[in-house]
Amino acid sequence: YIAGHRGMLGSAILKFITKIEKSHNIKIIVKTRSQLDLTNTEKVSKFFVKYKPNIVINCASLVGGIKANYEYPADFYYINTQIQNNLIHHSYLNKVKFFCFVGSSCIYPRLCKQPIKEDYLLSGKLEKTNEAYAIAKIAGIKMLEYYNKQYKLNGISVMPCNLYGPNDN
């Protein structure tokens, strides 16, 4: 299941997996926001029970520029934590074999030493203009880490650098 398959990164992942789908016996599952509201716990629960994905790639996020992050920090925090909480928790409940959490490089401190190393996470102040989004993404990383530790949910968190390309808004 690719959550966020119409966004910039999700659509690129979907395009790649579509090319290898038949040769690797993969059945891709995608749902638009109108088909599945990832902030709705009940609907996410029903989705997992019905489709039983083995792999979940979470590219779904509320994203925006500096102005949007500044004006709507509560939305960026709440919506993103709801999406990732629902996907991670229901992946665990439904015995998903592998979970990929896509975060953002904004999780690192504003004045982070370069090149960035994983150890620098939580080592300094975040950029104020996207702090709510960054904290939501950090919460997702930690949630997946804790679910792996306690429940053995197999997964990784990836933090792409700044991205641009087809389907960038």
Side-chain angles (χ1 to χ4, degrees):
Y1 169 55
I2 304 170
H5 72 282
R6 296 198 313 187
M8 182 177 54
L9 181 59
S11 64
I13 291 170
L14 176 60
K15 183 177 178 180
F16 174 77
I17 294 176
T18 299
K19 289 179 183 176
I20 64 167
E21 181 178 16
K22 286 187 174 62
S23 64
H24 287 76
N25 196 26
I26 298 169
K27 182 184 183 314
I28 300 170
I29 303 166
V30 293
K31 296 288 177 190
T32 64
R33 187 177 301 147
S34 63
Q35 293 172 315
L36 176 60
D37 177 359
L38 294 173
T39 65
N40 184 308
T41 303
E42 185 178 330
K43 289 180 180 178
V44 172
S45 177
K46 288 177 180 177
F47 166 82
F48 273 87
V49 169
K50 180 177 180 179
Y51 291 96
K52 301 183 185 330
N54 288 319
I55 297 170
V56 174
I57 302 171
N58 179 21
C59 299
S61 288
L62 173 63
V63 296
I66 293 170
K67 185 176 189 287
N69 274 272
Y70 178 77
E71 291 179 351
Y72 307 106
D75 291 350
F76 279 88
Y77 180 80
Y78 179 77
I79 291 169
N80 286 311
T81 55
Q82 284 295 106
I83 289 169
Q84 62 208 30
N85 289 352
N86 282 333
L87 289 173
I88 293 169
H89 185 67
H90 289 282
S91 289
Y92 150 68
L93 290 176
N94 291 276
K95 298 176 177 41
V96 165
K97 290 181 175 48
F98 184 77
F99 190 98
C100 178
F101 177 76
V102 178
S104 169
S105 60
C106 74
I107 63 166
Y108 290 101
R110 180 177 181 267
L111 300 173
C112 196
K113 193 167 106 178
Q114 300 294 317
I116 294 175
K117 296 181 181 176
E118 288 182 43
D119 294 344
Y120 299 162
L121 182 62
L122 300 174
S123 67
K125 292 186 180 222
L126 299 167
E127 170 59 47
K128 274 290 185 197
T129 58
N130 61 8
E131 182 183 74
Y133 180 78
I135 290 173
K137 291 298 179 179
I138 292 167
I141 294 165
K142 289 302 193 178
M143 184 176 183
L144 184 57
E145 178 184 319
Y146 302 146
Y147 270 63
N148 177 277
K149 180 180 179 182
Q150 184 173 340
Y151 300 123
K152 306 299 183 232
L153 175 60
N154 186 28
I156 59 169
S157 295
V158 296
M159 302 307 119
C161 61
N162 292 335
L163 302 173
Y164 65 94
N167 296 321
D168 189 359
N169 64 5

